Amino acid sequence: MIPAIDSKIRRRFDASAGRYDRYTTLHRQIAERLLSRVTKMPAPKICLDVGCGTGYLTRRLKDCFPQSEITGLDFAQGMLEAARVQNPGIAWILADSRRLPFSDGHFDALVSNLAYQWAADLPQAFGEARRVLASGGILACTLFGFQTCRELFESLDQAKAGQLQFARLPDTNQVREALTLGGFREPGVDREEIKITFKGMHELMLWLKAVGANNLLQEGYLGPEALLRAAAIYKEKFSNQQGVESTFEVIWVHAQK
Ligand SMILES: C[S@@+](CC[C@H](N)C(=O)[O-])C[C@H]1O[C@@H](n2cnc3c(N)ncnc32)[C@H](O)[C@@H]1O
């Protein structure tokens, strides 16, 4: 049984599956950088991509490691269907990252691009990752972090005088702690900030919806007037010459079992 918060997230990703690839240049760029780290390691025999979405990274892993057995896993059926259509030669599994349907020690590498930030219980999800890794196996992943879209949160918050509640993403300390609770010893955790320019706040919100990430607003009704106020605040505070800026914090994880 998938808890309510997770099924909401899953439904949003399902809904975005058809348009996801058109809007995710950022995700693919980060996937390529993750891949260049992973390909510096010895080729894994069996590798799992957790939260594979439409399968870009999974497919690229197969290109780089043609002899390896590569599996993509996601809990959104629509995403997996898109992945399967584009990549018939890869195994695709519908499952939740918190309950991986594999035996202990099955994989020697587990990769994941921008998916673990959505896990409702991060220590449990990392504990599962560790369980299915063989001894010496590697977890290499990226997550969007707490500072992601901070300008949007600040503008909305100011427009509604603090009446809204947001589902902010985990920060580096929470990620490190979750890895440790999941059983990884001395995990490597790094962060960076990437700035992206959008035409305006409205375009940023449409983009978040297109990529399935519009579940960050948790409680409280925004209303059209507050939205307009927030857009004006956003423009006033975070404009550059091309539009408005949004921060995306990327957390990089490298951990060994
Ligand atoms: C932002 S997308 C990233 C997809 C892909 N890795 C990429 O780089 O484009 C996040 C993906 O994680 C999946 N996801 C989120 N929470 C999950 C969970 N608990 N178990 C399995 N998949 C999950 C979503 O369905 C979605 O496809």
Side-chain angles (χ1 to χ4, degrees), residues 13 20 27 51-53 73-76 79 95-97 113-115 118:
F13 279 112
Y20 183 84
H27 299 59
C52 62
L73 175 143
D74 203 286
F75 74 169
M79 288 293 206
D96 191 315
S97 63
N113 191 43
L114 305 172
W118 301 118

Side-chain angles (χ1 to χ4, degrees), residues 2 6 9-14 16 20-21 24 26-28 30-31 34 49-58 73-80 93-100 111-121 125 142 144 211-213:
I2 295 179
D6 284 7
I9 292 170
R10 186 167 48 84
R11 278 200 307 277
R12 294 219 157 115
F13 279 112
D14 260 336
S16 84
Y20 183 84
D21 287 346
T24 43
L26 172 66
H27 299 59
R28 285 195 296 279
I30 297 167
L34 177 59
D49 178 8
V50 175
C52 62
T54 55
Y56 178 80
L57 176 62
T58 334
L73 175 143
D74 203 286
F75 74 169
Q77 180 106 40
M79 288 293 206
L80 268 193
I93 306 278
L94 182 68
D96 191 315
S97 63
R98 293 173 309 151
R99 280 177 299 278
L100 298 174
V111 298
S112 175
N113 191 43
L114 305 172
Y116 272 114
Q117 70 275 0
W118 301 118
D121 186 334
T142 61
F144 279 131
V211 302

